[in-house]
Amino acid sequence: MAVLSVLAYHLRHSRGFLFNSNNAVHRTFATTTQQRFSTAGKATVSLDAVVGTPATTVDDGKGPFQITTPIYYVNDKPHIGHAYTSTACDVIARFMRLSGREVFFLSGTDEHGQKVEQSAAKKGVPPQQFVDEVSVNFRELLDLLQITNDKFIRTTDADHKKSVQHLWQVLVEKDFIYKGTYSGWYSVRDECFYTESELVDGKAPTGAEVEWVAKEESYFFKLSAFQEKLLEYYESNPDFIAPQSRRNEVLAFVKGGLKDLSISRTSFSWGVPVPGDEEEHIMYVWMDALTNYISALGYPNTADGTDYAKFWPAALHVVGKDILRFHAVYWPAFLMAADLPLPKRVFAHGWWTKDGEKISKSLGNVIDPVDLVEKYGVDQTRFFLMAEVAFGNDGDFSDKTMILKINNNLANELGNLCQRTLSMVYKNCDKAVPKEIGPFTAEDEALLEAASGLYGRCADAISEQAIQKYVTELIEMVWNVNKYIDEMAPWALRKTDPERMATVLYVIMEVLRRIAILYQPVIPGSANTMLDLLAVPADQRSFACLEGDEYKIQPGATICQPKGIFPRIEISELVEA
């Protein structure tokens, strides 16, 4: 089934792109977004049904919410890291939407730089053609994983280039940019300059090769002028960088001293031209790339009523730990220099290894997320990525671990619970929700009360980006229901006390309703299949519908014949192990 869904996906999206006269790829956004939201079972949330989320030191819990992935570098095809970041952001964005909040979820591709220019040359194609082709892979991955981004930005977009050049002019006018010469170590892979003291065994801290740049003319940004300002900002906004371990790394870096930052290059030409010096200089790729977060909102148009006015400052930038410096040091400094508000929070997640080893092409162990979806399914892949590792920590991938987690938490626990409950209802209650519900016992009340508090516990976790904790709350709730059904034994009550059996089955259905509604951000397709089986109307699946008698499972409502949601993955060698 997973393979068929991927084939269908490719067929569906082979018509989802248009080519303009200069071969740039543009998505037919309205159509593909509608398809993606529909297949993902995105619930309709009315504007007057606002629940909101818990307020934190960086988020009021009710206002418009911009969340961003980093824009992905297009020198190669997507890997598990891209899938991980995108899925995490999607889970948060969906949770916010279902809570009644207005969301602007941004993703895209970073398409300039020396590395792209070199990769295009190796393929014998112009850089623009190269990035047009590779960018499609990232768009298709988002669609495949049912990522509900509101905009996909490309740094080769004309509007983005104008936005970046405007910001450059502002920094020039405010006297934060000057021309000089640069010599030092540069990593093409990281698109980053490093000092001698940062090198480890002659390489960048990331393990990338470095090359010596000898006296190249360059424009510089006065980063040194912001050392104390940044430290003061970190001190007065302690939750600006998360998790705490990453904040400590940034503090140590800034306290070690900031030098002015080279922000242009002359040794290659694939980038945004520097205003007033277009023939010689192109912008340093990170100056270009970071500006996407505001160019996507229409900057420099900051007037009332614009997306910029509504959503900036962004609520949350989610990045990998390897690019935290750019987002927590350079980007805030650029914004301070331009007198623009800073984002509210930057969250850096960890890296994945495979079977205990670092992932690299040389080892041949790169994990292709498309392969994961083909083997295991979309929701299963999303679930594993979110449930396996505490968000912020490093994680290790193995097929065995993924299969065991899918089989245990989804197939055996949630799927089996849903199917055996609804099968009993279908066979013993005239194919409808039980009509005669008896008084609730203490055990019934305890389970219903635990389910009633589930949203609060999940919302607390999401408000702190503790995605694994959020998923664990749902897993543990399913455990509680399985314990309850084993103790109540409705299959035995069918003969001895049919009325009590009906009550037990109703309680389980109501708790499953809450679990399925709250699982929508993580496993959207499967959660909505559960809600279909439970006969929950499509317009009653937002978080505003968790409470209220009118939204509960309605006695007498007809249900369809139950079906399996999560097939077990049977691989003989792993079963034997």
Side-chain angles (χ1 to χ4, degrees), residues 175-178 220-231 253-263 329-330 333-334 336-337:
D175 199 30
F176 285 112
I177 291 179
Y178 65 92
F220 287 82
F221 172 72
K222 294 180 181 178
L223 184 63
S224 59
F226 292 90
Q227 179 171 333
E228 292 306 317
K229 292 178 182 178
L230 286 167
L231 290 173
F253 175 75
V254 176
K255 287 178 180 178
L258 295 180
K259 296 181 179 180
D260 289 351
L261 180 67
S262 172
I263 55 170
V329 181
Y330 300 166
F334 295 159
M336 287 178 174

Side-chain angles (χ1 to χ4, degrees), residues 329-351:
V329 181
Y330 300 166
W331 180 226
F334 295 159
L335 293 170
M336 287 178 174
D339 290 326
L340 295 173
L342 273 60
K344 297 174 184 177
R345 189 173 177 92
V346 179
F347 192 102
H349 64 71
W351 289 342

Side-chain angles (χ1 to χ4, degrees), residues 115 185-194 199-212 358:
K115 189 163 45 174
W185 296 105
Y186 182 74
S187 165
V188 176
R189 192 187 82 181
D190 296 347
E191 299 285 4
C192 182
F193 298 100
Y194 292 105
L199 301 185
V200 180
D201 297 328
K203 295 184 178 181
T206 60
E209 299 290 338
V210 294
E211 61 183 37
W212 181 258
K358 182 179 178 180

Side-chain angles (χ1 to χ4, degrees), residues 11 48-49 85 96 188 195 211 219 222 233 240 244 264 266 300 351 388 395 437 461 480 503 506 516 533:
L11 289 171
D48 60 347
T85 311
M96 294 299 174
V188 176
T195 64
E211 61 183 37
Y219 284 93
K222 294 180 181 178
Y233 189 83
F240 172 63
Q244 183 67 36
S264 76
T266 60
W351 289 342
E388 178 63 12
I437 311 300
N480 290 339
T503 302
Y506 177 84
L533 294 172

Side-chain angles (χ1 to χ4, degrees), residues 57 70 75 86 136-137 149 157 173 185 194 204 242 252 257 287 298 300 306 335 413 452 484:
T57 57
N75 66 307
S86 298
V136 172
N137 296 333
N149 53 298
D157 290 341
E173 291 167 6
W185 296 105
Y194 292 105
M287 179 88 183
T306 62
L335 293 170
E413 295 167 2
S452 180
Y484 170 86

Side-chain angles (χ1 to χ4, degrees), residues 145-429:
L145 290 169
Q146 299 185 353
I147 307 300
T148 57
N149 53 298
D150 297 289
K151 184 167 185 175
F152 188 96
I153 190 169
R154 300 177 61 189
T155 56
T156 52
D157 290 341
D159 288 345
H160 171 76
K161 293 178 184 178
K162 291 176 183 177
S163 179
V164 175
Q165 290 177 323
H166 178 87
L167 179 62
W168 180 285
Q169 294 279 38
V170 170
L171 298 180
V172 169
E173 291 167 6
K174 292 181 177 291
D175 199 30
F176 285 112
I177 291 179
Y178 65 92
K179 186 184 279 188
T181 58
Y182 175 82
S183 59
W185 296 105
Y186 182 74
S187 165
V188 176
R189 192 187 82 181
D190 296 347
E191 299 285 4
C192 182
F193 298 100
Y194 292 105
T195 64
E196 187 79 36
S197 62
E198 289 181 287
L199 301 185
V200 180
D201 297 328
K203 295 184 178 181
T206 60
E209 299 290 338
V210 294
E211 61 183 37
W212 181 258
V213 178
K215 290 195 174 180
E216 179 181 324
E217 185 179 75
S218 176
Y219 284 93
F220 287 82
F221 172 72
K222 294 180 181 178
L223 184 63
S224 59
F226 292 90
Q227 179 171 333
E228 292 306 317
K229 292 178 182 178
L230 286 167
L231 290 173
E232 289 172 6
Y233 189 83
Y234 302 150
E235 179 68 25
S236 58
N237 297 274
D239 296 321
F240 172 63
I241 303 168
Q244 183 67 36
S245 59
R246 305 296 172 217
R247 180 177 185 272
N248 294 340
E249 292 171 5
V250 172
L251 285 171
F253 175 75
V254 176
K255 287 178 180 178
L258 295 180
K259 296 181 179 180
D260 289 351
L261 180 67
S262 172
I263 55 170
S264 76
R265 299 298 302 274
T266 60
S267 57
F268 61 96
S269 60
W270 183 242
V272 178
V274 168
D277 207 344
E278 292 89 350
E279 297 301 318
E280 297 293 332
H281 287 261
I282 56 97
M283 292 186 199
Y284 172 53
V285 67
W286 281 101
M287 179 88 183
D288 165 15
L290 290 164
T291 308
N292 93 91
Y293 300 125
I294 54 176
S295 69
L297 298 172
Y299 177 84
N301 184 1
T302 61
D304 289 347
T306 62
D307 283 340
Y308 178 94
K310 179 184 290 183
F311 291 104
W312 192 259
L316 181 63
H317 290 330
V318 177
V319 301
K321 66 180 182 180
D322 54 321
I323 56 173
L324 178 59
R325 176 194 303 185
F326 308 105
H327 288 81
V329 181
Y330 300 166
W331 180 226
F334 295 159
L335 293 170
M336 287 178 174
D339 290 326
L340 295 173
L342 273 60
K344 297 174 184 177
R345 189 173 177 92
V346 179
F347 192 102
H349 64 71
W351 289 342
W352 284 87
T353 55
K354 184 177 182 184
D355 299 317
E357 291 186 311
K358 182 179 178 180
I359 295 174
S360 71
K361 284 185 179 179
S362 60
L363 292 174
N365 64 351
V366 175
I367 303 167
D368 185 341
V370 176
D371 289 345
L372 295 182
V373 173
E374 288 178 343
K375 285 195 290 186
Y376 306 123
V378 175
D379 281 349
Q380 288 86 343
T381 299
R382 289 172 60 104
F383 173 81
F384 176 79
L385 292 176
M386 297 299 97
E388 178 63 12
V389 181
F391 198 55
N393 293 351
D394 292 338
D396 185 62
F397 175 90
S398 75
D399 283 287
K400 178 180 178 181
T401 303
M402 184 167 181
I403 290 169
L404 290 174
K405 194 156 195 71
I406 291 169
N407 281 347
N408 289 339
N409 295 147
L410 294 184
N412 295 351
E413 295 167 2
L414 179 58
N416 187 46
L417 171 66
C418 186
Q419 188 165 9
R420 65 174 174 164
T421 299
L422 293 177
S423 294
M424 284 200 69
V425 173
Y426 190 81
K427 292 176 181 177
N428 299 291
C429 303

